[in-house]
Amino acid sequence: MDIAVKAPAVWRRLAKPVAIIGAGIAGLTAAFDIERRGLQAAVFETGRAVGGMASSFKDAEGYTYDFGAHFVSNRLADALGASEISRTVGHYGEAVSLGGRSYSYPFGLAASPRYAVSAFAARLSPGKVENAADWFRNAYGEALAQDVAIPLAEAWSGAPASELSPAVGQKLSAGVMKTLYLKAASRVTGRAVCNGYSHEMPESPRVYHVYPEGGVSRLLEPTMKQVGHRIELEARVERVFVERGRVAAIQVNGREIGVSAAISTAPVHVLPRLVEGTDQLDELGQFRYRPMIFVNLRFEGRNLLPDTMLWVPDRSQPFFRVTEAPAAMPWLAPEGRTQLTFDIGCEVGDAHWSMSDEELATLCLEGLCRIYPHLRARYIGAGGMLKTPFAYPVYLSRYEQRRQAFARGTGVAGLYSIGRNGEFAHLLMEDIYWRTLKRMQHVADYVGQDV
């Protein structure tokens, strides 16, 4: 008897792999969970290495830096099997630079009479919320919204706050009592307790920041040991074929492979060009991502900023955030030295994107010295410069309804989208992990159903 012909359809589908497009934290987590469930995963990574945005770099001088800012909890390190290589972060805090002064976030700002009075007035008489600017005014008051929240939102999104969905603010909200409780827990425990870094799992004094020795990419090493044999590098997925409303196959480097399902970590606006056989995803082509440049500068000394992260809501500055990672994680820089990372929002091909590394370093140094003139004497030189065209999803109001529908599913049977870029969501690393596991239950249910 010809089993390939006579076997039930579910058997034939189970014989085909679940294709995973991309080998970042979401793709590798998906592969591990798919294999754990007794299914076969096939991971296709366009690049020459795994990791995606969870990539780390260490140079000959002993500086370690990552592709952007990453926040790792001990809970995530445990889940990924990376606890033994992760160190506890003793302190993490944020500050805001305003008018030549720095304010701790959020309580230093809340203590300012100007901002406190404005926030109180907004609570007494909230206005109608139609966009992100309205949301910020209602949540923080007119003064804080205008001075801090709106300039920062516009810097990292590249769009007017009046054109952004209120969901931007809702993603950033955190309760005052919860913040007070977790800040107090940080002081008592001597650990940087997480606050606002997971919406999928509860936060408590037992959930705190850690960081792997050697950089964030090392978090993926245990998972790689389990699924490395399922990964094909330099494998560009060129097509996802849909037949009768269901994913049937993919095309990789010119060859066609039958699959039982496809899981994408690609930016969502790529999907309309990738998927063939349906127009269900055409509207996703209008979704925007904010490109970003990360500039690393080195200095003598440590604790140069008022806290680990400094927000700069000054529209005249090229950057909106400066992070001193070695202040919280001293092993990331040689002893007695530090590295500041500057975040510049831009567009591909614009003046900032087109600058040389030397020009970017000079631009950031000059901007920093307008805030802290004394740091010029401590400047050593530039470190690595990193650019990504897909740093943050931009929640424009004009496609908010479609975004919400996409958050519930792609609308194509057997096609799933995961990860920050894949879900088009403001997700940090821990939520990417837990959300990916939830989606894999849906994938397993779909692949295992009798069709």
PDB file of all heavy atoms in Angstrom, residues 294-326:
ATOM      1  N   PHE A 294      22.517  53.658  16.223  1.00  0.00           N
ATOM      2  CA  PHE A 294      23.066  53.577  17.574  1.00  0.00           C
ATOM      3  C   PHE A 294      24.548  53.927  17.500  1.00  0.00           C
ATOM      4  O   PHE A 294      25.330  53.252  16.825  1.00  0.00           O
ATOM      5  CB  PHE A 294      22.886  52.177  18.159  1.00  0.00           C
ATOM      6  CG  PHE A 294      21.451  51.720  18.170  1.00  0.00           C
ATOM      7  CD1 PHE A 294      20.990  50.825  17.222  1.00  0.00           C
ATOM      8  CD2 PHE A 294      20.561  52.209  19.106  1.00  0.00           C
ATOM      9  CE1 PHE A 294      19.678  50.401  17.214  1.00  0.00           C
ATOM     10  CE2 PHE A 294      19.232  51.797  19.102  1.00  0.00           C
ATOM     11  CZ  PHE A 294      18.788  50.892  18.157  1.00  0.00           C
ATOM     12  N   VAL A 295      24.931  54.988  18.195  1.00  0.00           N
ATOM     13  CA  VAL A 295      26.299  55.490  18.166  1.00  0.00           C
ATOM     14  C   VAL A 295      26.936  55.262  19.533  1.00  0.00           C
ATOM     15  O   VAL A 295      26.390  55.686  20.557  1.00  0.00           O
ATOM     16  CB  VAL A 295      26.325  56.992  17.814  1.00  0.00           C
ATOM     17  CG1 VAL A 295      27.754  57.522  17.823  1.00  0.00           C
ATOM     18  CG2 VAL A 295      25.667  57.240  16.455  1.00  0.00           C
ATOM     19  N   ASN A 296      28.074  54.600  19.559  1.00  0.00           N
ATOM     20  CA  ASN A 296      28.780  54.319  20.814  1.00  0.00           C
ATOM     21  C   ASN A 296      30.019  55.196  20.930  1.00  0.00           C
ATOM     22  O   ASN A 296      30.889  55.188  20.047  1.00  0.00           O
ATOM     23  CB  ASN A 296      29.195  52.849  20.871  1.00  0.00           C
ATOM     24  CG  ASN A 296      27.997  51.923  20.977  1.00  0.00           C
ATOM     25  OD1 ASN A 296      27.357  51.843  22.014  1.00  0.00           O
ATOM     26  ND2 ASN A 296      27.673  51.239  19.885  1.00  0.00           N
ATOM     27  N   LEU A 297      30.105  55.955  22.026  1.00  0.00           N
ATOM     28  CA  LEU A 297      31.266  56.795  22.311  1.00  0.00           C
ATOM     29  C   LEU A 297      31.886  56.368  23.629  1.00  0.00           C
ATOM     30  O   LEU A 297      31.176  56.017  24.573  1.00  0.00           O
ATOM     31  CB  LEU A 297      30.875  58.271  22.385  1.00  0.00           C
ATOM     32  CG  LEU A 297      30.197  58.892  21.152  1.00  0.00           C
ATOM     33  CD1 LEU A 297      29.968  60.385  21.361  1.00  0.00           C
ATOM     34  CD2 LEU A 297      31.002  58.644  19.887  1.00  0.00           C
ATOM     35  N   ARG A 298      33.218  56.430  23.707  1.00  0.00           N
ATOM     36  CA  ARG A 298      33.941  55.964  24.896  1.00  0.00           C
ATOM     37  C   ARG A 298      34.532  57.133  25.680  1.00  0.00           C
ATOM     38  O   ARG A 298      34.971  58.120  25.101  1.00  0.00           O
ATOM     39  CB  ARG A 298      35.061  55.007  24.471  1.00  0.00           C
ATOM     40  CG  ARG A 298      34.534  53.633  24.101  1.00  0.00           C
ATOM     41  CD  ARG A 298      34.950  53.229  22.742  1.00  0.00           C
ATOM     42  NE  ARG A 298      34.331  51.957  22.380  1.00  0.00           N
ATOM     43  CZ  ARG A 298      34.956  50.989  21.755  1.00  0.00           C
ATOM     44  NH1 ARG A 298      36.216  51.124  21.428  1.00  0.00           N
ATOM     45  NH2 ARG A 298      34.323  49.881  21.422  1.00  0.00           N
ATOM     46  N   PHE A 299      34.546  56.947  27.015  1.00  0.00           N
ATOM     47  CA  PHE A 299      35.012  58.005  27.908  1.00  0.00           C
ATOM     48  C   PHE A 299      35.813  57.418  29.060  1.00  0.00           C
ATOM     49  O   PHE A 299      35.628  56.252  29.433  1.00  0.00           O
ATOM     50  CB  PHE A 299      33.816  58.785  28.485  1.00  0.00           C
ATOM     51  CG  PHE A 299      33.003  59.516  27.463  1.00  0.00           C
ATOM     52  CD1 PHE A 299      32.029  58.857  26.718  1.00  0.00           C
ATOM     53  CD2 PHE A 299      33.219  60.870  27.229  1.00  0.00           C
ATOM     54  CE1 PHE A 299      31.275  59.529  25.773  1.00  0.00           C
ATOM     55  CE2 PHE A 299      32.453  61.547  26.285  1.00  0.00           C
ATOM     56  CZ  PHE A 299      31.486  60.877  25.561  1.00  0.00           C
ATOM     57  N   GLU A 300      36.673  58.241  29.615  1.00  0.00           N
ATOM     58  CA  GLU A 300      37.343  57.892  30.867  1.00  0.00           C
ATOM     59  C   GLU A 300      36.355  58.070  32.014  1.00  0.00           C
ATOM     60  O   GLU A 300      35.545  58.994  32.015  1.00  0.00           O
ATOM     61  CB  GLU A 300      38.555  58.801  31.103  1.00  0.00           C
ATOM     62  CG  GLU A 300      39.684  58.628  30.104  1.00  0.00           C
ATOM     63  CD  GLU A 300      40.504  57.372  30.360  1.00  0.00           C
ATOM     64  OE1 GLU A 300      40.200  56.651  31.339  1.00  0.00           O
ATOM     65  OE2 GLU A 300      41.431  57.116  29.566  1.00  0.00           O
ATOM     66  N   GLY A 301      36.416  57.167  33.001  1.00  0.00           N
ATOM     67  CA  GLY A 301      35.562  57.282  34.174  1.00  0.00           C
ATOM     68  C   GLY A 301      34.291  56.468  34.036  1.00  0.00           C
ATOM     69  O   GLY A 301      34.068  55.765  33.046  1.00  0.00           O
ATOM     70  N   ARG A 302      33.460  56.559  35.066  1.00  0.00           N
ATOM     71  CA  ARG A 302      32.184  55.850  35.109  1.00  0.00           C
ATOM     72  C   ARG A 302      31.112  56.751  35.700  1.00  0.00           C
ATOM     73  O   ARG A 302      31.405  57.765  36.327  1.00  0.00           O
ATOM     74  CB  ARG A 302      32.297  54.595  35.995  1.00  0.00           C
ATOM     75  CG  ARG A 302      33.048  53.435  35.358  1.00  0.00           C
ATOM     76  CD  ARG A 302      32.114  52.582  34.511  1.00  0.00           C
ATOM     77  NE  ARG A 302      32.846  51.584  33.750  1.00  0.00           N
ATOM     78  CZ  ARG A 302      33.145  50.376  34.193  1.00  0.00           C
ATOM     79  NH1 ARG A 302      32.773  50.005  35.395  1.00  0.00           N
ATOM     80  NH2 ARG A 302      33.815  49.535  33.425  1.00  0.00           N
ATOM     81  N   ASN A 303      29.856  56.354  35.533  1.00  0.00           N
ATOM     82  CA  ASN A 303      28.708  57.082  36.076  1.00  0.00           C
ATOM     83  C   ASN A 303      28.717  58.543  35.627  1.00  0.00           C
ATOM     84  O   ASN A 303      28.575  59.472  36.432  1.00  0.00           O
ATOM     85  CB  ASN A 303      28.712  56.997  37.612  1.00  0.00           C
ATOM     86  CG  ASN A 303      28.626  55.556  38.093  1.00  0.00           C
ATOM     87  OD1 ASN A 303      27.722  54.823  37.713  1.00  0.00           O
ATOM     88  ND2 ASN A 303      29.584  55.150  38.909  1.00  0.00           N
ATOM     89  N   LEU A 304      28.854  58.725  34.329  1.00  0.00           N
ATOM     90  CA  LEU A 304      28.901  60.068  33.764  1.00  0.00           C
ATOM     91  C   LEU A 304      27.514  60.680  33.626  1.00  0.00           C
ATOM     92  O   LEU A 304      27.375  61.904  33.632  1.00  0.00           O
ATOM     93  CB  LEU A 304      29.587  60.042  32.399  1.00  0.00           C
ATOM     94  CG  LEU A 304      31.000  59.438  32.349  1.00  0.00           C
ATOM     95  CD1 LEU A 304      31.602  59.638  30.968  1.00  0.00           C
ATOM     96  CD2 LEU A 304      31.899  60.027  33.423  1.00  0.00           C
ATOM     97  N   LEU A 305      26.503  59.841  33.490  1.00  0.00           N
ATOM     98  CA  LEU A 305      25.129  60.311  33.371  1.00  0.00           C
ATOM     99  C   LEU A 305      24.462  60.309  34.741  1.00  0.00           C
ATOM    100  O   LEU A 305      24.909  59.609  35.653  1.00  0.00           O
ATOM    101  CB  LEU A 305      24.339  59.412  32.413  1.00  0.00           C
ATOM    102  CG  LEU A 305      24.846  59.308  30.977  1.00  0.00           C
ATOM    103  CD1 LEU A 305      23.933  58.396  30.158  1.00  0.00           C
ATOM    104  CD2 LEU A 305      24.971  60.673  30.316  1.00  0.00           C
ATOM    105  N   PRO A 306      23.379  61.053  34.910  1.00  0.00           N
ATOM    106  CA  PRO A 306      22.685  61.059  36.206  1.00  0.00           C
ATOM    107  C   PRO A 306      22.081  59.703  36.553  1.00  0.00           C
ATOM    108  O   PRO A 306      21.833  59.425  37.719  1.00  0.00           O
ATOM    109  CB  PRO A 306      21.605  62.130  36.050  1.00  0.00           C
ATOM    110  CG  PRO A 306      21.485  62.365  34.590  1.00  0.00           C
ATOM    111  CD  PRO A 306      22.805  62.044  33.992  1.00  0.00           C
ATOM    112  N   ASP A 307      21.840  58.857  35.569  1.00  0.00           N
ATOM    113  CA  ASP A 307      21.379  57.490  35.816  1.00  0.00           C
ATOM    114  C   ASP A 307      21.722  56.640  34.601  1.00  0.00           C
ATOM    115  O   ASP A 307      22.313  57.129  33.640  1.00  0.00           O
ATOM    116  CB  ASP A 307      19.886  57.441  36.124  1.00  0.00           C
ATOM    117  CG  ASP A 307      19.569  56.461  37.263  1.00  0.00           C
ATOM    118  OD1 ASP A 307      20.187  55.377  37.281  1.00  0.00           O
ATOM    119  OD2 ASP A 307      18.740  56.787  38.123  1.00  0.00           O
ATOM    120  N   THR A 308      21.328  55.364  34.650  1.00  0.00           N
ATOM    121  CA  THR A 308      21.719  54.450  33.579  1.00  0.00           C
ATOM    122  C   THR A 308      21.244  54.926  32.222  1.00  0.00           C
ATOM    123  O   THR A 308      21.965  54.813  31.228  1.00  0.00           O
ATOM    124  CB  THR A 308      21.129  53.041  33.843  1.00  0.00           C
ATOM    125  OG1 THR A 308      21.298  52.714  35.225  1.00  0.00           O
ATOM    126  CG2 THR A 308      21.797  52.001  32.980  1.00  0.00           C
ATOM    127  N   MET A 309      20.030  55.427  32.162  1.00  0.00           N
ATOM    128  CA  MET A 309      19.471  55.896  30.907  1.00  0.00           C
ATOM    129  C   MET A 309      19.010  57.337  31.049  1.00  0.00           C
ATOM    130  O   MET A 309      18.368  57.688  32.035  1.00  0.00           O
ATOM    131  CB  MET A 309      18.292  55.013  30.479  1.00  0.00           C
ATOM    132  CG  MET A 309      17.677  55.379  29.135  1.00  0.00           C
ATOM    133  SD  MET A 309      16.303  54.292  28.718  1.00  0.00           S
ATOM    134  CE  MET A 309      17.168  52.758  28.429  1.00  0.00           C
ATOM    135  N   LEU A 310      19.352  58.152  30.071  1.00  0.00           N
ATOM    136  CA  LEU A 310      18.975  59.563  30.076  1.00  0.00           C
ATOM    137  C   LEU A 310      18.113  59.856  28.852  1.00  0.00           C
ATOM    138  O   LEU A 310      18.540  59.665  27.714  1.00  0.00           O
ATOM    139  CB  LEU A 310      20.221  60.450  30.040  1.00  0.00           C
ATOM    140  CG  LEU A 310      19.972  61.961  30.053  1.00  0.00           C
ATOM    141  CD1 LEU A 310      19.415  62.399  31.408  1.00  0.00           C
ATOM    142  CD2 LEU A 310      21.250  62.720  29.719  1.00  0.00           C
ATOM    143  N   TRP A 311      16.877  60.292  29.101  1.00  0.00           N
ATOM    144  CA  TRP A 311      15.991  60.713  28.025  1.00  0.00           C
ATOM    145  C   TRP A 311      16.239  62.182  27.731  1.00  0.00           C
ATOM    146  O   TRP A 311      16.389  62.994  28.653  1.00  0.00           O
ATOM    147  CB  TRP A 311      14.532  60.502  28.420  1.00  0.00           C
ATOM    148  CG  TRP A 311      14.163  59.066  28.632  1.00  0.00           C
ATOM    149  CD1 TRP A 311      14.083  58.397  29.806  1.00  0.00           C
ATOM    150  CD2 TRP A 311      13.825  58.119  27.612  1.00  0.00           C
ATOM    151  NE1 TRP A 311      13.722  57.082  29.595  1.00  0.00           N
ATOM    152  CE2 TRP A 311      13.551  56.884  28.256  1.00  0.00           C
ATOM    153  CE3 TRP A 311      13.724  58.186  26.218  1.00  0.00           C
ATOM    154  CZ2 TRP A 311      13.188  55.739  27.550  1.00  0.00           C
ATOM    155  CZ3 TRP A 311      13.362  57.051  25.520  1.00  0.00           C
ATOM    156  CH2 TRP A 311      13.094  55.843  26.180  1.00  0.00           C
ATOM    157  N   VAL A 312      16.273  62.524  26.447  1.00  0.00           N
ATOM    158  CA  VAL A 312      16.592  63.893  26.038  1.00  0.00           C
ATOM    159  C   VAL A 312      15.479  64.409  25.114  1.00  0.00           C
ATOM    160  O   VAL A 312      15.555  64.278  23.889  1.00  0.00           O
ATOM    161  CB  VAL A 312      17.955  63.950  25.317  1.00  0.00           C
ATOM    162  CG1 VAL A 312      18.335  65.408  25.016  1.00  0.00           C
ATOM    163  CG2 VAL A 312      19.040  63.282  26.159  1.00  0.00           C
ATOM    164  N   PRO A 313      14.417  65.004  25.672  1.00  0.00           N
ATOM    165  CA  PRO A 313      13.298  65.507  24.863  1.00  0.00           C
ATOM    166  C   PRO A 313      13.571  66.900  24.299  1.00  0.00           C
ATOM    167  O   PRO A 313      12.729  67.797  24.372  1.00  0.00           O
ATOM    168  CB  PRO A 313      12.136  65.507  25.853  1.00  0.00           C
ATOM    169  CG  PRO A 313      12.778  65.776  27.169  1.00  0.00           C
ATOM    170  CD  PRO A 313      14.144  65.129  27.115  1.00  0.00           C
ATOM    171  N   ASP A 314      14.752  67.085  23.760  1.00  0.00           N
ATOM    172  CA  ASP A 314      15.190  68.367  23.211  1.00  0.00           C
ATOM    173  C   ASP A 314      15.237  68.228  21.694  1.00  0.00           C
ATOM    174  O   ASP A 314      16.089  67.530  21.146  1.00  0.00           O
ATOM    175  CB  ASP A 314      16.575  68.714  23.766  1.00  0.00           C
ATOM    176  CG  ASP A 314      17.110  70.042  23.252  1.00  0.00           C
ATOM    177  OD1 ASP A 314      16.525  70.588  22.293  1.00  0.00           O
ATOM    178  OD2 ASP A 314      18.128  70.514  23.788  1.00  0.00           O
ATOM    179  N   ARG A 315      14.323  68.879  21.015  1.00  0.00           N
ATOM    180  CA  ARG A 315      14.205  68.703  19.568  1.00  0.00           C
ATOM    181  C   ARG A 315      15.435  69.203  18.806  1.00  0.00           C
ATOM    182  O   ARG A 315      15.615  68.866  17.632  1.00  0.00           O
ATOM    183  CB  ARG A 315      12.955  69.421  19.059  1.00  0.00           C
ATOM    184  CG  ARG A 315      11.646  68.865  19.640  1.00  0.00           C
ATOM    185  CD  ARG A 315      10.456  69.676  19.160  1.00  0.00           C
ATOM    186  NE  ARG A 315       9.232  69.377  19.893  1.00  0.00           N
ATOM    187  CZ  ARG A 315       8.387  68.403  19.579  1.00  0.00           C
ATOM    188  NH1 ARG A 315       8.639  67.631  18.542  1.00  0.00           N
ATOM    189  NH2 ARG A 315       7.291  68.210  20.296  1.00  0.00           N
ATOM    190  N   SER A 316      16.282  70.001  19.442  1.00  0.00           N
ATOM    191  CA  SER A 316      17.482  70.483  18.765  1.00  0.00           C
ATOM    192  C   SER A 316      18.607  69.461  18.786  1.00  0.00           C
ATOM    193  O   SER A 316      19.597  69.612  18.074  1.00  0.00           O
ATOM    194  CB  SER A 316      17.963  71.791  19.416  1.00  0.00           C
ATOM    195  OG  SER A 316      18.503  71.539  20.712  1.00  0.00           O
ATOM    196  N   GLN A 317      18.460  68.419  19.591  1.00  0.00           N
ATOM    197  CA  GLN A 317      19.480  67.379  19.674  1.00  0.00           C
ATOM    198  C   GLN A 317      19.222  66.297  18.624  1.00  0.00           C
ATOM    199  O   GLN A 317      18.070  65.976  18.314  1.00  0.00           O
ATOM    200  CB  GLN A 317      19.473  66.738  21.068  1.00  0.00           C
ATOM    201  CG  GLN A 317      19.941  67.639  22.187  1.00  0.00           C
ATOM    202  CD  GLN A 317      21.464  67.752  22.247  1.00  0.00           C
ATOM    203  OE1 GLN A 317      22.167  67.504  21.271  1.00  0.00           O
ATOM    204  NE2 GLN A 317      21.970  68.140  23.410  1.00  0.00           N
ATOM    205  N   PRO A 318      20.271  65.692  18.091  1.00  0.00           N
ATOM    206  CA  PRO A 318      20.075  64.626  17.108  1.00  0.00           C
ATOM    207  C   PRO A 318      19.601  63.323  17.738  1.00  0.00           C
ATOM    208  O   PRO A 318      19.008  62.486  17.065  1.00  0.00           O
ATOM    209  CB  PRO A 318      21.470  64.450  16.491  1.00  0.00           C
ATOM    210  CG  PRO A 318      22.411  64.886  17.576  1.00  0.00           C
ATOM    211  CD  PRO A 318      21.702  66.012  18.283  1.00  0.00           C
ATOM    212  N   PHE A 319      19.849  63.135  19.032  1.00  0.00           N
ATOM    213  CA  PHE A 319      19.502  61.907  19.740  1.00  0.00           C
ATOM    214  C   PHE A 319      18.400  62.184  20.750  1.00  0.00           C
ATOM    215  O   PHE A 319      18.223  63.312  21.202  1.00  0.00           O
ATOM    216  CB  PHE A 319      20.724  61.323  20.456  1.00  0.00           C
ATOM    217  CG  PHE A 319      21.504  62.331  21.268  1.00  0.00           C
ATOM    218  CD1 PHE A 319      21.100  62.686  22.551  1.00  0.00           C
ATOM    219  CD2 PHE A 319      22.636  62.946  20.741  1.00  0.00           C
ATOM    220  CE1 PHE A 319      21.802  63.622  23.293  1.00  0.00           C
ATOM    221  CE2 PHE A 319      23.351  63.887  21.479  1.00  0.00           C
ATOM    222  CZ  PHE A 319      22.925  64.229  22.749  1.00  0.00           C
ATOM    223  N   PHE A 320      17.653  61.140  21.106  1.00  0.00           N
ATOM    224  CA  PHE A 320      16.601  61.305  22.111  1.00  0.00           C
ATOM    225  C   PHE A 320      16.873  60.477  23.361  1.00  0.00           C
ATOM    226  O   PHE A 320      16.181  60.631  24.365  1.00  0.00           O
ATOM    227  CB  PHE A 320      15.229  60.925  21.535  1.00  0.00           C
ATOM    228  CG  PHE A 320      15.093  59.479  21.131  1.00  0.00           C
ATOM    229  CD1 PHE A 320      14.675  58.518  22.038  1.00  0.00           C
ATOM    230  CD2 PHE A 320      15.391  59.081  19.837  1.00  0.00           C
ATOM    231  CE1 PHE A 320      14.542  57.197  21.668  1.00  0.00           C
ATOM    232  CE2 PHE A 320      15.262  57.757  19.452  1.00  0.00           C
ATOM    233  CZ  PHE A 320      14.837  56.815  20.370  1.00  0.00           C
ATOM    234  N   ARG A 321      17.894  59.615  23.303  1.00  0.00           N
ATOM    235  CA  ARG A 321      18.208  58.790  24.468  1.00  0.00           C
ATOM    236  C   ARG A 321      19.703  58.512  24.492  1.00  0.00           C
ATOM    237  O   ARG A 321      20.321  58.289  23.456  1.00  0.00           O
ATOM    238  CB  ARG A 321      17.439  57.476  24.418  1.00  0.00           C
ATOM    239  CG  ARG A 321      17.730  56.538  25.584  1.00  0.00           C
ATOM    240  CD  ARG A 321      16.753  55.373  25.631  1.00  0.00           C
ATOM    241  NE  ARG A 321      16.890  54.468  24.495  1.00  0.00           N
ATOM    242  CZ  ARG A 321      16.144  53.380  24.320  1.00  0.00           C
ATOM    243  NH1 ARG A 321      15.203  53.069  25.201  1.00  0.00           N
ATOM    244  NH2 ARG A 321      16.320  52.600  23.271  1.00  0.00           N
ATOM    245  N   VAL A 322      20.256  58.532  25.716  1.00  0.00           N
ATOM    246  CA  VAL A 322      21.659  58.169  25.915  1.00  0.00           C
ATOM    247  C   VAL A 322      21.695  57.134  27.036  1.00  0.00           C
ATOM    248  O   VAL A 322      21.078  57.333  28.087  1.00  0.00           O
ATOM    249  CB  VAL A 322      22.532  59.381  26.306  1.00  0.00           C
ATOM    250  CG1 VAL A 322      24.004  58.987  26.317  1.00  0.00           C
ATOM    251  CG2 VAL A 322      22.297  60.554  25.368  1.00  0.00           C
ATOM    252  N   THR A 323      22.394  56.037  26.808  1.00  0.00           N
ATOM    253  CA  THR A 323      22.461  54.960  27.797  1.00  0.00           C
ATOM    254  C   THR A 323      23.904  54.690  28.176  1.00  0.00           C
ATOM    255  O   THR A 323      24.773  54.578  27.305  1.00  0.00           O
ATOM    256  CB  THR A 323      21.844  53.661  27.238  1.00  0.00           C
ATOM    257  OG1 THR A 323      20.519  53.923  26.784  1.00  0.00           O
ATOM    258  CG2 THR A 323      21.804  52.576  28.304  1.00  0.00           C
ATOM    259  N   GLU A 324      24.156  54.594  29.480  1.00  0.00           N
ATOM    260  CA  GLU A 324      25.480  54.224  29.982  1.00  0.00           C
ATOM    261  C   GLU A 324      25.384  52.821  30.581  1.00  0.00           C
ATOM    262  O   GLU A 324      25.254  52.649  31.790  1.00  0.00           O
ATOM    263  CB  GLU A 324      25.978  55.232  31.018  1.00  0.00           C
ATOM    264  CG  GLU A 324      27.413  54.959  31.448  1.00  0.00           C
ATOM    265  CD  GLU A 324      27.942  55.960  32.457  1.00  0.00           C
ATOM    266  OE1 GLU A 324      27.180  56.853  32.886  1.00  0.00           O
ATOM    267  OE2 GLU A 324      29.135  55.837  32.825  1.00  0.00           O
ATOM    268  N   ALA A 325      25.447  51.827  29.728  1.00  0.00           N
ATOM    269  CA  ALA A 325      25.282  50.450  30.183  1.00  0.00           C
ATOM    270  C   ALA A 325      26.328  50.033  31.217  1.00  0.00           C
ATOM    271  O   ALA A 325      25.990  49.338  32.186  1.00  0.00           O
ATOM    272  CB  ALA A 325      25.301  49.505  28.987  1.00  0.00           C
ATOM    273  N   PRO A 326      27.611  50.421  31.088  1.00  0.00           N
ATOM    274  CA  PRO A 326      28.599  50.002  32.092  1.00  0.00           C
ATOM    275  C   PRO A 326      28.344  50.559  33.489  1.00  0.00           C
ATOM    276  O   PRO A 326      28.910  50.048  34.465  1.00  0.00           O
ATOM    277  CB  PRO A 326      29.923  50.530  31.521  1.00  0.00           C
ATOM    278  CG  PRO A 326      29.688  50.597  30.045  1.00  0.00           C
ATOM    279  CD  PRO A 326      28.261  51.052  29.927  1.00  0.00           C
TER     280      PRO A 326
END
